[in-house]
Amino acid sequence: MSKRLFLLLVAASLAGTPAIAKTVRTDTIRITPMEAPASGTIPVEDSLTAQKDPSADDNAPLEEPAPAETYPLPEVLYDPSLLPTPVARMRSQLLDAAISGDIERLRMVLESNEVPPTLSLIEIGDPIEFLKESSGDPDGLEILAILADTLDAGFLHADVGTAQEMYIWPYFARYPFHALTADQKVEMYRIVTAADFAEMEAFGVWLFYRVGIGKDGTLHYFVAGE
């Protein structure tokens, strides 16, 4: 048999022989719930446990945060008989001039004042002319109505015992808006509109007219604005 024929026979026999499956060894790896930590490290769970006070009661109720510091609401006054005589006199003179419908009568009250009262946050000329210009009508009747309504509202005795001690109308000028009740807002809407109040609430300050009279009867201001 030639060598070539022998090789052909060997190749033919190998072609008909099934392939031998190769066995792969596998090992089962068991994963423990928690392996021992490396030196110098603490698992998260142990870290939290370590920070916890061992004497703490898990069932103890959470402590309530300390309440914010609160202040008593200003006392609102309505009775004019509670006013000192000089204050009551000035208020009466202003009211009489306002309901008269003659703005010139207000000039006499202003000129009799110890000092020129503040009527604007900017410099003005003649006070009566300024009030007329600030009014919605040429005769200043609207501004007189505002003055009368302001002085008819509740008032506050503010800054007692200081150099700024004063009686202030309306009390909304120094009263926290968030504390106003429904009936107090009705009082307020007799002076301003809901739109006016919404604007002032956005600024957080009373921007409409207010009157301040010192305990000695001096009219310090009849002014609008911040």
Side-chain angles (χ1 to χ4, degrees):
M1 180 183 297
S2 66
K3 183 175 181 181
R4 178 187 176 102
L5 180 59
F6 175 77
L7 292 176
L8 290 174
L9 291 174
V10 171
S13 66
L14 290 177
T17 304
I20 301 174
K22 184 180 290 186
T23 302
V24 179
R25 180 181 176 183
T26 60
D27 293 328
T28 301
I29 302 174
R30 296 182 178 274
I31 300 176
T32 58
M34 181 180 295
E35 296 182 0
S39 176
T41 64
I42 302 176
V44 174
E45 293 85 356
D46 291 346
S47 168
L48 295 176
T49 304
Q51 296 177 11
K52 182 178 178 181
D53 183 357
S55 64
D57 183 1
D58 290 338
N59 298 319
L62 296 176
E63 292 186 6
E64 293 290 337
E69 189 174 3
T70 58
Y71 299 92
L73 294 174
E75 181 183 6
V76 180
L77 306 172
Y78 292 94
D79 187 357
S81 68
L82 298 175
L83 296 170
T85 300
V87 179
R89 182 186 304 116
M90 174 56 71
R91 174 181 177 272
S92 179
Q93 291 174 352
L94 291 170
L95 265 176
D96 289 345
I99 63 178
S100 73
D102 182 4
I103 199 168
E104 284 297 328
R105 287 188 57 179
L106 191 57
R107 182 188 298 277
M108 293 185 291
V109 179
L110 300 181
E111 290 180 349
S112 67
N113 202 49
E114 182 178 343
V115 294
T118 298
L119 302 178
S120 173
L121 301 181
I122 60 174
E123 186 175 351
I124 62 172
D126 180 79
I128 300 303
E129 290 304 315
F130 169 76
L131 291 175
K132 284 183 178 181
E133 293 171 2
S134 302
S135 186
D137 67 293
D139 299 319
L141 301 182
E142 182 190 46
I143 208 74
L144 292 179
I146 291 173
L147 177 59
D149 284 345
T150 299
L151 291 172
D152 274 338
F155 58 94
L156 300 177
H157 185 191
D159 302 321
V160 180
T162 71
Q164 291 76 38
E165 183 173 352
M166 204 173 302
Y167 291 84
I168 298 174
W169 289 262
Y171 69 88
F172 312 111
R174 289 283 191 93
Y175 203 87
F177 290 162
H178 68 85
L180 290 171
T181 61
D183 57 322
Q184 287 177 313
K185 287 186 178 181
V186 171
E187 292 179 57
M188 183 178 61
Y189 290 145
R190 296 175 64 181
I191 302 174
V192 299
T193 66
D196 291 331
F197 177 62
E199 181 179 356
M200 292 188 289
E201 194 172 27
F203 282 98
V205 64
W206 181 262
L207 298 173
F208 201 63
Y209 284 92
R210 54 201 180 272
V211 172
I213 303 176
K215 64 179 182 178
D216 62 351
T218 300
L219 174 63
H220 287 277
Y221 55 78
F222 170 48
V223 69
E226 187 175 355

